[in-house]
Amino acid sequence: MPSVLRGIPASPGIVVGPVHLLRWEVPEVKHRLIQDDAVDAEIARLHQGLERARERLRHVRARTEAQVGPEEAAIFDVQLSILDDRELARSTEALIRQNLGAEKAFDLVLLEWRQHFARHTSPMLREKVSDLMDVHIRVLSILLELPDHDPVDVPRGANAILVTHDLTPSLTMQLDRECIAAIATEAGTATAHVAILARSLGLPAVVGLRNAMSFLAPGQMAILDGADGTLLMAPSEHEIADARQRVEIEAGRMGEMRELAHSEPVTRDGVRLVIRANVDIPDEADAGATSGADGVGLMRTEFLVVGRATMPDEEEQYKAYKRVIQAFGARPVVIRTFDVGGDKLPVGGFPAEANPFLGWRAIRMCLDESELFKVQLRALLRAGVHGDLRIMLPLIVTVDEVRETRKLIGEAVSELAERRVPFRADVPLGVMIETPAAAVACDTLVRDVDFFSIGSNDLVQYMLAVDRGNANLAPRFTPFHPAVLRLIAQVQATGASHGIDVCVCGEMASQPLAVFALMGLGIRQLSVAPRAVGDVKRIIRGVRMSAATDAAHAAIAASTAREAETLLRRRLRAELDAADATAGMTA
Ligand code: PEP
Ligand code: MG
């Protein structure tokens, strides 16, 4: 058995604590027949199970209400109402009367209900599927007396390292964030949404730890190192002391980075860049606003939707957007319209698709569900009066999608004017450049949009045909492939020749080496994780733009990603060493 599990670094930080294993998946249920005289007792067991599930849900609901708020807590009402459904109990009892064990009877009924809702034409009803899934798992786990089955069960004050197969957004909502100090998942990659969410929440995380759960026992001590991407199992006293020392050193380094974060992002030869922050959760707005960033380059609004039973209404969305905009005062705030789908399904999920990343997601879903989309557009236009808001559209493939959105914005404007509420009609509209189609043909977009923002996570995924969430493919997912570098340079050049700002807001923009490459490719705006602002500015301030440009030109001409990366690393090192030497001379 290995003593260290190696995964993919997802969110930095070192945590020493007990492992909390979470198996949040529908357990396998054996076919079990019961005798006629056991039927009544089995029905009673079913009801005890349902009651236990209710108790747990009431507990999570109360905790969520206290920690997060009443709206978020209300999502558990749907699951409570499913547990109270007379029809659910009646159908399960009927199968028990046909001599099926309670857990098998419940399993069959829930499977049928989930299939029924998944096929529903109404998206709101389809959303119920994941509530049904949660009820399915919770009740079966209780009936089968499975250990560690519930996200509610993390012991308080434990500094626990949550280990699970994959942390879906709906599961994240149920977690007691005060008890969890770090996240480790078997699935996922650095650009999967679990990693993005962990970074937003500031939780150290390692993903892609294949088969980790089979090596770990609940409650055993472990050391998670989010920057290294490792999970050390059953550490010795010495290893624990060493990890605690590293936590202190890291805290010191973070202090330095915080100072750097408030410096000017100007290169040694005098070129200033614009560094904005990615803010995914309104609660993070204040931290983002004091991170040293020049505004928000990307707010992923789907985190308002995931883990919910219903879509947030206009008022709730308006308040969330206003909160972020106001936190940043006069600085620009780019808010992206819902990018649900792919691996970012709202709680209810949508019908399973064979290729979700090529499926009904983002702008496609929004344009097809135009009434839901207009709720968001109205909320955004209303929030626009509070600062410098800019709206951004995800997963654009063709200019038609921009034109259709402009038409809906026009309708939203008329509706708001009729209601006589304050709003701003002329909010700038930009697009994510994250599909090869949008990148290669970005000149077809320039007349209809106000800015571009390159989503390197999806752009790399689609260009290299590498699923961004597949841990088995993680080494193949690289932004240094010459094809990606060339395309970014091309988008930048087209934007510049039409007076369109080009930002990069994917994870690439937060990686020091990629920052050096992007600068050299002509990119002057980056939107990065708030905690990465200091590190990104360290790179910018330590290099000359002329050197970055030379290095990027050489990288573009490389034949492989590895060649490009090696070359960039060597040149960046030389630049930073030269900067240190100069600083040493002037000190
Ligand atoms: C991207 O694709 O690079 C991006 C910023 O969007 P997301 O990660 O939310 O898909
Ligand atoms: Mg994207």
Side-chain angles (χ1 to χ4, degrees):
M1 195 168 85
S3 63
V4 183
L5 299 175
R6 288 188 192 284
I8 300 160
S11 178
I14 298 165
V15 171
V16 182
V19 160
H20 180 74
L21 289 182
L22 172 62
R23 293 184 200 281
W24 201 243
E25 51 207 37
V26 178
E28 204 180 312
V29 183
K30 294 217 171 64
H31 200 78
R32 186 171 65 88
L33 290 177
I34 55 166
Q35 302 292 335
D36 286 348
D37 59 3
V39 163
D40 287 347
E42 201 63 8
I43 289 178
R45 203 168 74 80
L46 167 73
H47 284 281
Q48 278 160 12
L50 293 174
E51 186 47 32
R52 180 94 185 93
R54 272 186 213 103
E55 272 166 29
R56 287 180 170 280
L57 267 173
R58 283 191 214 109
H59 171 74
V60 197
R61 194 193 184 293
R63 193 193 60 209
T64 310
E65 180 155 7
Q67 285 182 0
V68 195
E71 276 139 5
E72 287 78 4
I75 66 169
F76 298 105
D77 291 342
V78 180
Q79 294 182 29
L80 279 164
S81 72
I82 294 171
L83 285 169
D84 285 338
D85 195 306
R86 272 308 301 152
E87 191 46 42
L88 178 81
R90 254 199 303 270
S91 316
T92 314
E93 285 171 16
L95 289 178
I96 297 175
R97 288 206 175 83
Q98 291 168 29
N99 300 89
L100 269 188
E103 62 283 353
K104 190 70 198 172
F106 188 80
D107 189 34
L108 290 177
V109 171
L110 260 286
L111 276 176
E112 192 189 324
W113 280 36
R114 279 172 45 199
Q115 272 169 10
H116 170 76
F117 280 101
R119 281 195 298 262
H120 214 285
T121 47
S122 150
M124 291 322 253
L125 283 176
R126 283 200 303 267
E127 282 193 10
K128 243 184 143 158
V129 174
S130 105
D131 290 303
L132 283 166
M133 173 91 111
D134 282 354
V135 169
H136 198 167
I137 298 171
R138 197 181 297 277
V139 174
L140 279 187
S141 304
I142 292 169
L143 290 173
L144 294 167
E145 294 176 24
L146 296 176
D148 294 301
H149 58 269
D150 204 313
V152 184
D153 276 345
V154 188
R156 272 216 157 241
N159 212 34
I161 301 171
L162 179 88
V163 185
T164 187
H165 177 66
D166 194 8
L167 201 55
T168 60
S170 81
L171 200 50
T172 313
M173 283 297 292
Q174 299 189 41
L175 297 174
D176 189 345
R177 290 182 209 156
E178 283 180 12
C179 300
I180 290 164
I183 296 173
T185 62
E186 294 183 326
T189 60
T191 51
H193 288 91
V194 54
I196 291 172
L197 205 58
R199 282 194 287 274
S200 294
L201 297 171
L203 283 176
V206 179
V207 298
L209 282 163
R210 281 177 277 171
N211 304 321
M213 295 181 80
S214 62
F215 297 117
L216 293 161
Q220 89 174 67
M221 284 299 280
I223 299 172
L224 179 139
D225 186 332
D228 253 16
T230 54
L231 187 69
L232 176 64
M233 299 183 294
S236 64
E237 287 297 316
H238 173 73
E239 285 166 328
I240 291 178
D242 178 61
R244 296 216 161 109
Q245 198 180 359
R246 281 188 293 137
V247 170
E248 268 173 40
I249 296 171
E250 187 57 16
R253 207 184 82 85
M254 292 306 284
E256 262 171 49
M257 284 304 146
R258 266 194 297 277
E259 250 172 58
L260 254 179
H262 293 278
S263 61
E264 280 291 287
V266 181
T267 62
R268 276 161 49 208
D269 49 0
V271 182
R272 191 188 193 282
L273 277 85
V274 172
I275 306 301
R276 300 212 171 108
N278 291 351
V279 171
D280 299 326
I281 301 169
D283 279 353
E284 297 289 300
D286 296 332
T290 53
S291 67
D294 297 320
V296 174
L298 168 65
M299 177 185 171
R300 294 178 166 94
T301 56
E302 48 278 8
F303 291 113
L304 299 175
V305 184
V306 292
R308 300 271 307 233
T310 53
M311 293 289 276
D313 64 15
E314 182 185 311
E315 197 57 28
E316 193 188 333
Q317 288 190 49
Y318 161 69
K319 284 190 189 140
Y321 307 147
K322 177 175 144 190
R323 172 144 181 229
V324 180
I325 294 167
Q326 284 186 329
F328 280 82
R331 289 172 282 173
V333 172
V334 177
I335 300 186
R336 182 175 76 183
T337 58
F338 293 134
D339 186 1
V340 285
D343 69 341
K344 291 179 281 194
L345 294 177
V347 79
F350 285 80
E353 294 182 318
N355 292 303
F357 279 117
L358 305 181
W360 193 56
R361 60 173 282 211
I363 192 70
R364 304 166 184 184
M365 190 185 284
C366 285
L367 291 173
D368 288 354
E369 299 283 345
S370 58
E371 286 309 312
L372 288 183
F373 192 21
K374 271 202 291 177
V375 173
Q376 182 174 39
L377 294 172
R378 288 195 301 266
L380 283 166
L381 298 180
R382 285 175 57 196
V385 301
H386 299 289
D388 185 356
L389 169 68
R390 300 154 192 205
I391 299 177
M392 179 155 78
L393 307 176
L395 207 77
I396 290 298
V397 166
T398 151
V399 69
D400 292 339
E401 291 153 342
V402 182
R403 292 180 183 152
E404 260 187 79
T405 305
R406 284 212 187 268
K407 203 164 134 258
L408 293 176
I409 290 178
E411 289 175 24
V413 163
S414 312
E415 286 157 13
L416 291 171
E418 214 165 285
R419 276 165 45 195
R420 296 180 185 283
V421 286
F423 67 94
R424 184 174 155 208
D426 62 345
V427 176
L429 183 67
V431 290
M432 297 278 299
I433 301 290
E434 52 183 352
T435 64
V440 171
C442 64
D443 58 304
T444 60
L445 294 162
V446 291
R447 273 178 299 282
D448 293 77
V449 308
D450 299 304
F451 60 93
F452 289 160
S453 192
I454 298 177
S456 54
N457 306 336
D458 278 317
L459 192 60
V460 171
Q461 152 165 277
Y462 295 127
M463 281 206 68
L464 306 187
V466 173
D467 178 345
R468 64 192 266 185
N470 186 334
N472 294 327
L473 298 175
R476 291 184 159 85
F477 186 96
T478 165
F480 296 107
H481 191 295
V484 176
L485 300 177
R486 286 177 203 176
L487 201 50
I488 291 175
Q490 203 177 305
V491 172
Q492 164 62 32
T494 306
S497 67
H498 290 87
I500 300 252
D501 281 349
V502 181
C503 180
V504 174
C505 65
E507 296 309 307
M508 182 181 184
S510 301
Q511 296 166 8
L513 189 61
V515 169
F516 183 54
L518 289 170
M519 292 166 66
L521 296 174
I523 298 291
R524 295 291 176 266
Q525 291 189 16
L526 301 170
S527 189
V528 310
R531 284 172 192 80
V533 171
D535 215 15
V536 168
K537 288 191 180 175
R538 175 180 67 87
I539 299 297
I540 294 168
R541 293 167 60 86
V543 306
R544 291 163 302 151
M545 189 58 83
S546 54
T549 309
D550 285 350
H553 283 162
I556 272 189
S559 331
T560 66
R562 188 185 307 217
E563 217 178 278
E565 197 177 336
T566 311
L567 180 156
L568 285 163
R569 181 158 286 125
R570 210 177 41 238
R571 304 243 188 145
L572 175 59
R573 187 68 272 147
E575 272 301 284
L576 295 178
D577 286 349
D580 282 348
T582 318
M585 269 171 6
T586 53

mmCIF file of all heavy atoms in Angstrom, residues 267-299:
data_model
loop_
_atom_site.group_PDB
_atom_site.id
_atom_site.type_symbol
_atom_site.label_atom_id
_atom_site.label_comp_id
_atom_site.label_asym_id
_atom_site.label_seq_id
_atom_site.Cartn_x
_atom_site.Cartn_y
_atom_site.Cartn_z
ATOM 1 N N THR A 267 6.013 45.977 -15.856
ATOM 2 C CA THR A 267 7.218 45.195 -16.162
ATOM 3 C C THR A 267 8.461 46.057 -15.922
ATOM 4 O O THR A 267 8.363 47.287 -15.798
ATOM 5 C CB THR A 267 7.227 44.730 -17.632
ATOM 6 O OG1 THR A 267 7.243 45.892 -18.457
ATOM 7 C CG2 THR A 267 6.025 43.873 -17.962
ATOM 8 N N ARG A 268 9.624 45.396 -15.933
ATOM 9 C CA ARG A 268 10.867 46.134 -15.718
ATOM 10 C C ARG A 268 11.112 47.156 -16.814
ATOM 11 O O ARG A 268 11.803 48.148 -16.604
ATOM 12 C CB ARG A 268 12.044 45.159 -15.620
ATOM 13 C CG ARG A 268 12.179 44.603 -14.212
ATOM 14 C CD ARG A 268 13.004 43.336 -14.175
ATOM 15 N NE ARG A 268 14.261 43.446 -14.884
ATOM 16 C CZ ARG A 268 14.888 42.413 -15.447
ATOM 17 N NH1 ARG A 268 14.363 41.217 -15.390
ATOM 18 N NH2 ARG A 268 16.024 42.582 -16.069
ATOM 19 N N ASP A 269 10.548 46.910 -18.014
ATOM 20 C CA ASP A 269 10.711 47.924 -19.064
ATOM 21 C C ASP A 269 9.458 48.795 -19.221
ATOM 22 O O ASP A 269 9.189 49.351 -20.286
ATOM 23 C CB ASP A 269 11.166 47.300 -20.402
ATOM 24 C CG ASP A 269 10.325 46.105 -20.817
ATOM 25 O OD1 ASP A 269 9.381 45.751 -20.077
ATOM 26 O OD2 ASP A 269 10.601 45.523 -21.879
ATOM 27 N N GLY A 270 8.662 48.881 -18.160
ATOM 28 C CA GLY A 270 7.650 49.927 -18.093
ATOM 29 C C GLY A 270 6.291 49.658 -18.732
ATOM 30 O O GLY A 270 5.514 50.577 -18.962
ATOM 31 N N VAL A 271 5.947 48.394 -19.001
ATOM 32 C CA VAL A 271 4.614 48.117 -19.575
ATOM 33 C C VAL A 271 3.659 47.730 -18.444
ATOM 34 O O VAL A 271 3.959 46.836 -17.652
ATOM 35 C CB VAL A 271 4.687 46.981 -20.625
ATOM 36 C CG1 VAL A 271 3.309 46.728 -21.242
ATOM 37 C CG2 VAL A 271 5.719 47.311 -21.690
ATOM 38 N N ARG A 272 2.509 48.419 -18.401
ATOM 39 C CA ARG A 272 1.556 48.096 -17.321
ATOM 40 C C ARG A 272 0.487 47.125 -17.825
ATOM 41 O O ARG A 272 -0.040 47.274 -18.935
ATOM 42 C CB ARG A 272 0.866 49.359 -16.808
ATOM 43 C CG ARG A 272 0.074 49.079 -15.518
ATOM 44 C CD ARG A 272 -0.776 50.233 -15.067
ATOM 45 N NE ARG A 272 -1.275 50.055 -13.702
ATOM 46 C CZ ARG A 272 -2.292 49.274 -13.357
ATOM 47 N NH1 ARG A 272 -2.915 48.560 -14.276
ATOM 48 N NH2 ARG A 272 -2.669 49.187 -12.096
ATOM 49 N N LEU A 273 0.189 46.155 -17.008
ATOM 50 C CA LEU A 273 -0.900 45.222 -17.341
ATOM 51 C C LEU A 273 -2.103 45.521 -16.456
ATOM 52 O O LEU A 273 -1.990 46.289 -15.490
ATOM 53 C CB LEU A 273 -0.440 43.769 -17.140
ATOM 54 C CG LEU A 273 0.345 43.192 -18.326
ATOM 55 C CD1 LEU A 273 1.805 43.564 -18.233
ATOM 56 C CD2 LEU A 273 0.185 41.683 -18.400
ATOM 57 N N VAL A 274 -3.217 44.923 -16.785
ATOM 58 C CA VAL A 274 -4.414 45.054 -15.952
ATOM 59 C C VAL A 274 -4.665 43.678 -15.345
ATOM 60 O O VAL A 274 -4.754 42.683 -16.068
ATOM 61 C CB VAL A 274 -5.631 45.477 -16.813
ATOM 62 C CG1 VAL A 274 -6.915 45.431 -15.988
ATOM 63 C CG2 VAL A 274 -5.401 46.865 -17.383
ATOM 64 N N ILE A 275 -4.727 43.624 -14.026
ATOM 65 C CA ILE A 275 -4.964 42.341 -13.354
ATOM 66 C C ILE A 275 -6.308 42.403 -12.645
ATOM 67 O O ILE A 275 -6.510 43.215 -11.731
ATOM 68 C CB ILE A 275 -3.861 42.030 -12.308
ATOM 69 C CG1 ILE A 275 -2.480 42.106 -12.957
ATOM 70 C CG2 ILE A 275 -4.080 40.650 -11.673
ATOM 71 C CD1 ILE A 275 -2.277 41.151 -14.107
ATOM 72 N N ARG A 276 -7.222 41.586 -13.108
ATOM 73 C CA ARG A 276 -8.533 41.538 -12.455
ATOM 74 C C ARG A 276 -8.671 40.198 -11.724
ATOM 75 O O ARG A 276 -7.837 39.310 -11.859
ATOM 76 C CB ARG A 276 -9.636 41.689 -13.507
ATOM 77 C CG ARG A 276 -9.531 42.999 -14.250
ATOM 78 C CD ARG A 276 -10.889 43.546 -14.668
ATOM 79 N NE ARG A 276 -10.713 44.889 -15.175
ATOM 80 C CZ ARG A 276 -10.806 45.218 -16.465
ATOM 81 N NH1 ARG A 276 -11.125 44.305 -17.367
ATOM 82 N NH2 ARG A 276 -10.629 46.464 -16.848
ATOM 83 N N ALA A 277 -9.750 40.091 -10.949
ATOM 84 C CA ALA A 277 -9.942 38.876 -10.149
ATOM 85 C C ALA A 277 -11.130 38.076 -10.666
ATOM 86 O O ALA A 277 -12.093 38.640 -11.196
ATOM 87 C CB ALA A 277 -10.177 39.249 -8.691
ATOM 88 N N ASN A 278 -11.043 36.766 -10.525
ATOM 89 C CA ASN A 278 -12.198 35.912 -10.791
ATOM 90 C C ASN A 278 -12.954 35.765 -9.468
ATOM 91 O O ASN A 278 -12.382 35.286 -8.485
ATOM 92 C CB ASN A 278 -11.760 34.518 -11.259
ATOM 93 C CG ASN A 278 -11.124 34.546 -12.638
ATOM 94 O OD1 ASN A 278 -11.164 35.574 -13.324
ATOM 95 N ND2 ASN A 278 -10.557 33.437 -13.050
ATOM 96 N N VAL A 279 -14.199 36.184 -9.448
ATOM 97 C CA VAL A 279 -14.995 36.074 -8.225
ATOM 98 C C VAL A 279 -16.190 35.190 -8.560
ATOM 99 O O VAL A 279 -16.978 35.526 -9.430
ATOM 100 C CB VAL A 279 -15.482 37.462 -7.752
ATOM 101 C CG1 VAL A 279 -16.485 37.324 -6.612
ATOM 102 C CG2 VAL A 279 -14.295 38.293 -7.293
ATOM 103 N N ASP A 280 -16.283 34.053 -7.920
ATOM 104 C CA ASP A 280 -17.336 33.125 -8.312
ATOM 105 C C ASP A 280 -18.523 33.119 -7.374
ATOM 106 O O ASP A 280 -19.590 32.648 -7.720
ATOM 107 C CB ASP A 280 -16.754 31.708 -8.405
ATOM 108 C CG ASP A 280 -15.663 31.653 -9.462
ATOM 109 O OD1 ASP A 280 -15.806 32.381 -10.458
ATOM 110 O OD2 ASP A 280 -14.679 30.926 -9.284
ATOM 111 N N ILE A 281 -18.337 33.607 -6.184
ATOM 112 C CA ILE A 281 -19.394 33.542 -5.178
ATOM 113 C C ILE A 281 -19.536 34.935 -4.578
ATOM 114 O O ILE A 281 -18.527 35.539 -4.185
ATOM 115 C CB ILE A 281 -18.999 32.529 -4.082
ATOM 116 C CG1 ILE A 281 -18.797 31.154 -4.725
ATOM 117 C CG2 ILE A 281 -20.030 32.455 -2.970
ATOM 118 C CD1 ILE A 281 -18.161 30.149 -3.816
ATOM 119 N N PRO A 282 -20.759 35.485 -4.505
ATOM 120 C CA PRO A 282 -20.906 36.848 -3.975
ATOM 121 C C PRO A 282 -20.244 37.036 -2.613
ATOM 122 O O PRO A 282 -19.679 38.092 -2.336
ATOM 123 C CB PRO A 282 -22.427 37.043 -3.899
ATOM 124 C CG PRO A 282 -22.984 36.097 -4.908
ATOM 125 C CD PRO A 282 -22.040 34.935 -4.966
ATOM 126 N N ASP A 283 -20.248 35.969 -1.791
ATOM 127 C CA ASP A 283 -19.620 36.076 -0.468
ATOM 128 C C ASP A 283 -18.128 36.377 -0.559
ATOM 129 O O ASP A 283 -17.510 36.790 0.417
ATOM 130 C CB ASP A 283 -19.754 34.746 0.294
ATOM 131 C CG ASP A 283 -21.123 34.624 0.932
ATOM 132 O OD1 ASP A 283 -21.874 35.614 0.879
ATOM 133 O OD2 ASP A 283 -21.431 33.536 1.451
ATOM 134 N N GLU A 284 -17.545 36.091 -1.724
ATOM 135 C CA GLU A 284 -16.103 36.299 -1.899
ATOM 136 C C GLU A 284 -15.794 37.709 -2.388
ATOM 137 O O GLU A 284 -14.631 38.057 -2.596
ATOM 138 C CB GLU A 284 -15.556 35.309 -2.931
ATOM 139 C CG GLU A 284 -15.680 33.864 -2.541
ATOM 140 C CD GLU A 284 -14.733 33.509 -1.423
ATOM 141 O OE1 GLU A 284 -13.527 33.659 -1.603
ATOM 142 O OE2 GLU A 284 -15.226 33.122 -0.346
ATOM 143 N N ALA A 285 -16.842 38.519 -2.625
ATOM 144 C CA ALA A 285 -16.635 39.826 -3.256
ATOM 145 C C ALA A 285 -15.705 40.708 -2.440
ATOM 146 O O ALA A 285 -14.798 41.339 -2.984
ATOM 147 C CB ALA A 285 -17.977 40.524 -3.472
ATOM 148 N N ASP A 286 -15.892 40.741 -1.123
ATOM 149 C CA ASP A 286 -15.077 41.653 -0.316
ATOM 150 C C ASP A 286 -13.610 41.228 -0.337
ATOM 151 O O ASP A 286 -12.713 42.068 -0.458
ATOM 152 C CB ASP A 286 -15.599 41.713 1.124
ATOM 153 C CG ASP A 286 -17.006 42.313 1.156
ATOM 154 O OD1 ASP A 286 -17.320 43.117 0.245
ATOM 155 O OD2 ASP A 286 -17.779 41.964 2.060
ATOM 156 N N ALA A 287 -13.389 39.899 -0.258
ATOM 157 C CA ALA A 287 -12.012 39.405 -0.318
ATOM 158 C C ALA A 287 -11.412 39.742 -1.683
ATOM 159 O O ALA A 287 -10.246 40.164 -1.782
ATOM 160 C CB ALA A 287 -11.985 37.895 -0.081
ATOM 161 N N GLY A 288 -12.207 39.608 -2.751
ATOM 162 C CA GLY A 288 -11.725 39.922 -4.100
ATOM 163 C C GLY A 288 -11.402 41.401 -4.228
ATOM 164 O O GLY A 288 -10.399 41.798 -4.836
ATOM 165 N N ALA A 289 -12.247 42.232 -3.602
ATOM 166 C CA ALA A 289 -12.093 43.685 -3.732
ATOM 167 C C ALA A 289 -10.831 44.185 -3.039
ATOM 168 O O ALA A 289 -10.276 45.214 -3.406
ATOM 169 C CB ALA A 289 -13.326 44.387 -3.165
ATOM 170 N N THR A 290 -10.361 43.442 -2.019
ATOM 171 C CA THR A 290 -9.149 43.876 -1.319
ATOM 172 C C THR A 290 -7.937 43.033 -1.719
ATOM 173 O O THR A 290 -6.917 43.024 -1.052
ATOM 174 C CB THR A 290 -9.345 43.774 0.211
ATOM 175 O OG1 THR A 290 -9.786 42.443 0.502
ATOM 176 C CG2 THR A 290 -10.359 44.759 0.728
ATOM 177 N N SER A 291 -8.077 42.292 -2.839
ATOM 178 C CA SER A 291 -6.990 41.387 -3.255
ATOM 179 C C SER A 291 -5.915 42.093 -4.056
ATOM 180 O O SER A 291 -4.927 41.475 -4.442
ATOM 181 C CB SER A 291 -7.568 40.245 -4.099
ATOM 182 O OG SER A 291 -8.062 40.766 -5.327
ATOM 183 N N GLY A 292 -6.117 43.376 -4.350
ATOM 184 C CA GLY A 292 -5.150 44.100 -5.166
ATOM 185 C C GLY A 292 -5.510 44.063 -6.645
ATOM 186 O O GLY A 292 -4.737 44.520 -7.489
ATOM 187 N N ALA A 293 -6.675 43.525 -6.979
ATOM 188 C CA ALA A 293 -7.089 43.415 -8.387
ATOM 189 C C ALA A 293 -7.752 44.704 -8.870
ATOM 190 O O ALA A 293 -8.331 45.447 -8.081
ATOM 191 C CB ALA A 293 -8.054 42.252 -8.539
ATOM 192 N N ASP A 294 -7.652 44.919 -10.206
ATOM 193 C CA ASP A 294 -8.231 46.126 -10.804
ATOM 194 C C ASP A 294 -9.720 45.962 -11.135
ATOM 195 O O ASP A 294 -10.233 46.643 -12.014
ATOM 196 C CB ASP A 294 -7.511 46.452 -12.130
ATOM 197 C CG ASP A 294 -6.041 46.769 -11.922
ATOM 198 O OD1 ASP A 294 -5.719 47.441 -10.945
ATOM 199 O OD2 ASP A 294 -5.221 46.330 -12.753
ATOM 200 N N GLY A 295 -10.379 45.037 -10.522
ATOM 201 C CA GLY A 295 -11.798 44.808 -10.817
ATOM 202 C C GLY A 295 -12.040 43.316 -10.949
ATOM 203 O O GLY A 295 -11.182 42.499 -10.597
ATOM 204 N N VAL A 296 -13.211 42.954 -11.461
ATOM 205 C CA VAL A 296 -13.538 41.540 -11.664
ATOM 206 C C VAL A 296 -13.498 41.254 -13.157
ATOM 207 O O VAL A 296 -14.175 41.931 -13.932
ATOM 208 C CB VAL A 296 -14.949 41.205 -11.108
ATOM 209 C CG1 VAL A 296 -15.344 39.766 -11.443
ATOM 210 C CG2 VAL A 296 -14.999 41.428 -9.605
ATOM 211 N N GLY A 297 -12.698 40.275 -13.563
ATOM 212 C CA GLY A 297 -12.640 39.912 -14.980
ATOM 213 C C GLY A 297 -13.589 38.786 -15.314
ATOM 214 O O GLY A 297 -13.891 38.534 -16.477
ATOM 215 N N LEU A 298 -14.035 38.072 -14.277
ATOM 216 C CA LEU A 298 -14.983 36.972 -14.505
ATOM 217 C C LEU A 298 -15.713 36.665 -13.216
ATOM 218 O O LEU A 298 -15.099 36.302 -12.211
ATOM 219 C CB LEU A 298 -14.233 35.704 -14.966
ATOM 220 C CG LEU A 298 -15.036 34.394 -14.961
ATOM 221 C CD1 LEU A 298 -16.176 34.444 -15.982
ATOM 222 C CD2 LEU A 298 -14.135 33.198 -15.258
ATOM 223 N N MET A 299 -17.047 36.837 -13.271
ATOM 224 C CA MET A 299 -17.854 36.290 -12.177
ATOM 225 C C MET A 299 -18.679 35.169 -12.789
ATOM 226 O O MET A 299 -19.458 35.384 -13.711
ATOM 227 C CB MET A 299 -18.766 37.344 -11.569
ATOM 228 C CG MET A 299 -19.637 36.732 -10.475
ATOM 229 S SD MET A 299 -20.838 37.865 -9.790
ATOM 230 C CE MET A 299 -21.788 36.736 -8.783
#
